[in-house]
């Protein structure tokens, strides 16, 4: 569960923790006209990057081309944390990274294993993230709803929003 006080102190740390607890999100290219699609992410905190493994036959991989601006949206399983990340998505060739990320789950999508000629590794370099965290305490939530219903000028105060900018890699 998202700790709202920790989120207030260090929203970027909370983002990484939440990404570790979420299996997939929705990835899409800005301006492509296509719908976002569910993708499993692999986190590289130190580099402020996410990786995705897909097929070069997907519209997403084809349209990423050399590099494209993308959005990746996630929601925590308990629905107390939401994030929309933006950055540059590009296909890369990095056998060591693919080896690092490879698993039986990934293998299920590629009949020829790591040697499948259609495997594409996508690197998502994070630029910015909009983050929302809310309290998981039902008493606080109920109190805020009651206060808002009693005072027409009050809206419930059940969470926080932060925008995080990631340092550009050298």
């Amino acid at each position: 569960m998202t700790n709202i006080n920790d989120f207030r102190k260090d929203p970027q740390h909370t983002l990484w923790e939440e990404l570790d607890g979420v299996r997939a999100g929705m990835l899409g290219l800005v301006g492509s006209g296509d719908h976002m699609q569910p993708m499993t992410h692999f986190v590289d905190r130190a580099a402020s990057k996410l990786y995705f493994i897909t097929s070069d036959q997907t519209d997403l991989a084809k349209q990423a081309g050399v590099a494209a601006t993308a959005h990746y949206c996630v929601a925590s399983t308990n629905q107390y944390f939401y994030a929309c990340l933006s950055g540059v998505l590009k296909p890369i060739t990095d056998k060591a990274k693919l080896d690092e990320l490879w698993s039986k789950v990934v293998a299920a999508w590629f009949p020829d294993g790591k040697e499948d000629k259609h495997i594409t590794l996508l690197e998502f370099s994070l630029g910015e993230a909009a983050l929302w965290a809310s309290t998981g305490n039902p008493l606080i939530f109920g109190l805020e709803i009651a206060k808002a219903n009693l005072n027409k000028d009050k809206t419930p105060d059940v969470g926080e929003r932060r925008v995080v900018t990631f340092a550009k890699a050298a």
Side-chain angles (χ1 to χ4, degrees), residues 27 50-52 54 60-61 64 89-91 120-124:
L27 179 64
L50 301 179
Y51 292 91
F52 304 92
T54 190
L60 181 67
L89 183 72
K90 66 181 181 181
T120 298
L121 183 59
L122 298 175
E123 177 186 83
F124 187 41

Side-chain angles (χ1 to χ4, degrees), residues 19-119:
L19 284 172
D20 285 344
V22 176
R23 184 175 50 102
M26 299 294 287
L27 179 64
L29 300 175
V30 174
S32 73
D34 287 338
H35 294 283
M36 296 179 85
Q37 61 186 44
M39 295 288 290
T40 296
H41 58 265
F42 299 90
V43 175
D44 183 342
R45 289 182 191 207
S48 297
K49 293 180 180 182
L50 301 179
Y51 292 91
F52 304 92
I53 301 171
T54 190
S55 167
D56 64 6
Q57 301 300 296
T58 64
D59 290 338
L60 181 67
K62 289 176 186 176
Q63 292 181 7
V66 176
T69 302
H71 282 130
Y72 186 60
C73 299
V74 296
S76 64
T77 55
N78 62 19
Q79 299 182 2
Y80 297 125
F81 181 84
Y82 301 87
C84 182
L85 303 107
S86 63
V88 175
L89 183 72
K90 66 181 181 181
I92 63 167
T93 303
D94 186 338
K95 185 172 177 354
K97 181 57 81 174
L98 184 61
D99 288 344
E100 174 190 329
L101 303 176
W102 195 259
S103 70
K104 290 192 181 292
V105 173
V106 174
W109 296 101
F110 297 96
D112 295 328
K114 283 187 270 185
E115 304 309 315
D116 191 300
K117 67 181 182 176
H118 294 293
I119 290 176

Side-chain angles (χ1 to χ4, degrees), residues 127-166:
E128 186 177 84
L131 313 172
W132 294 263
S134 60
T135 181
N137 184 323
L139 294 175
I140 291 173
F141 181 83
L143 179 61
E144 286 295 320
I145 296 300
K147 288 189 319 190
N149 279 307
L150 293 171
N151 180 347
K152 67 179 181 170
D153 297 325
K154 170 107 176 87
T155 57
D157 180 13
V158 294
E160 300 280 335
R161 177 183 185 268
R162 298 285 188 273
V163 174
V164 173
T165 303
F166 296 89

